[in-house]
Amino acid sequence: EAQYMAIMEDAEGIREIRTPIVVKINELDKEMNAHTGGIPLYWRLDEEKSKIVNELWSKRSEYEAELKKVESKIDSIESDAKSKLGLWSNRGLSEARQKFWEKVDAGKAFAKRQTLWDAITSILFTQRRDEESLQFIIRWVLQIAFNFTIGFFLTLINFTFSIIWVIRSFQPSFISGMAFYGLALLGATSVVIGYLLLTCGIAGGGVYVAYKTVSSNHRLRDRRRQQIQHQHYD
């Protein structure tokens, strides 16, 4: 722990070098935006603006290359510090969990965006005016369940690759790294399967409730129709 803290202090010193570089890049971005007006490629039609923007872009590229070198050095120092703690330390487990839940949130966000897009396209392009309420509810429950299923599969795929970089940053031995990778994937898979079962359960429950509700409404309408017919015959 003491070695880790000592190495991380060195990383903090390099971060101080990083800050002014980032500030310079942001200033150049603002200056370029002022000359271009935020309109892509339009500035190329003006020779003077084109010259200024190209000069600014050249300076930005230099600062960006310098920033990459600094960030690479920071990553290297942090990796050395993490190696002192070990992959199986609280820090290693915490980073793995954090990476997984980041991917879960990304998968949920994908499902929500896809559902919104499906709703928009359905309103604009679908011509099912005669679709019954039960069919409509079932279709959308299944569509939402499908979107979240895809989102959770993407979560697992993204985590499968991104966890490798977390493991590498701790510089473990090959056997230790593979063991951690296997257990991380096993845990992630079990959680995703749990989410999928929950999604299927909610979808099934939604379809059942919709069916019971619509069926009940149909029975009520039939009874009222029969009562009206009896009253008419009487």
Side-chain angles (χ1 to χ4, degrees):
E1 185 73 27
Q3 288 179 317
Y4 170 80
M5 295 303 297
I7 296 173
M8 289 302 291
E9 286 179 5
D10 294 337
E12 288 299 324
I14 297 177
R15 281 198 182 92
E16 293 178 2
I17 300 173
R18 178 184 182 276
T19 302
I21 299 174
V22 173
V23 171
K24 285 287 186 182
I25 291 174
N26 290 336
E27 288 176 354
L28 289 170
D29 285 339
K30 290 178 181 178
E31 196 172 347
M32 281 192 291
N33 189 65
H35 285 288
T36 62
I39 304 174
L41 303 179
Y42 177 75
W43 51 272
R44 290 187 180 275
L45 302 176
D46 189 315
E47 187 176 347
E48 185 178 349
K49 285 185 178 181
S50 180
K51 183 180 179 181
I52 294 172
V53 171
N54 285 329
E55 288 177 356
L56 291 172
W57 185 259
S58 178
K59 290 180 181 178
R60 189 189 188 283
S61 298
E62 291 175 6
Y63 281 117
E64 201 166 39
E66 188 177 350
L67 179 63
K68 285 181 180 178
K69 290 179 182 178
V70 172
E71 287 181 339
S72 178
K73 194 171 183 180
I74 293 172
D75 290 341
S76 177
I77 293 173
E78 287 183 346
S79 180
D80 289 339
K82 289 177 182 179
S83 68
K84 304 301 180 184
L85 293 176
L87 180 60
W88 298 90
S89 64
N90 289 333
R91 177 65 183 268
L93 297 174
S94 176
E95 287 197 16
R97 283 194 297 267
Q98 182 181 354
K99 183 62 67 176
F100 174 72
W101 291 115
E102 282 178 6
K103 300 308 176 184
V104 169
D105 290 339
K108 289 179 181 177
F110 166 84
K112 291 175 183 177
R113 287 194 305 271
Q114 189 61 39
T115 300
L116 178 61
W117 178 248
D118 288 339
I120 293 172
T121 54
S122 178
I123 292 170
L124 293 177
F125 303 111
T126 303
Q127 302 296 327
R128 302 183 195 178
R129 305 302 182 192
D130 58 341
E131 187 176 34
E132 293 185 3
S133 56
L134 179 60
Q135 292 175 329
F136 175 82
I137 293 171
I138 290 175
R139 181 165 64 88
W140 272 105
V141 167
L142 295 179
Q143 185 65 52
I144 292 169
F146 175 77
N147 289 338
F148 273 91
T149 299
I150 296 299
F152 290 133
F153 273 120
L154 290 176
T155 292
L156 191 57
I157 292 170
N158 289 335
F159 180 73
T160 298
F161 292 100
S162 62
I163 189 63
I164 294 173
W165 302 106
V166 174
I167 294 172
R168 288 184 61 182
S169 69
F170 283 85
Q171 302 178 21
S173 65
F174 178 77
I175 295 175
S176 178
M178 288 300 295
F180 190 94
Y181 183 71
L183 288 174
L185 287 188
L186 180 62
T189 303
S190 63
V191 173
V192 168
I193 289 173
Y195 269 116
L196 290 175
L197 292 175
L198 179 62
T199 300
C200 292
I202 293 173
V207 170
Y208 177 76
V209 169
Y211 172 76
K212 295 294 287 184
T213 302
V214 173
S215 297
S216 178
N217 289 338
H218 279 310
R219 285 195 296 270
L220 286 173
R221 283 200 298 269
D222 290 340
R223 287 175 187 173
R224 288 173 184 170
R225 190 181 300 113
Q226 290 174 0
Q227 288 174 356
I228 292 172
Q229 288 175 351
H230 286 311
Q231 291 174 358
H232 178 71
Y233 290 137
D234 291 341

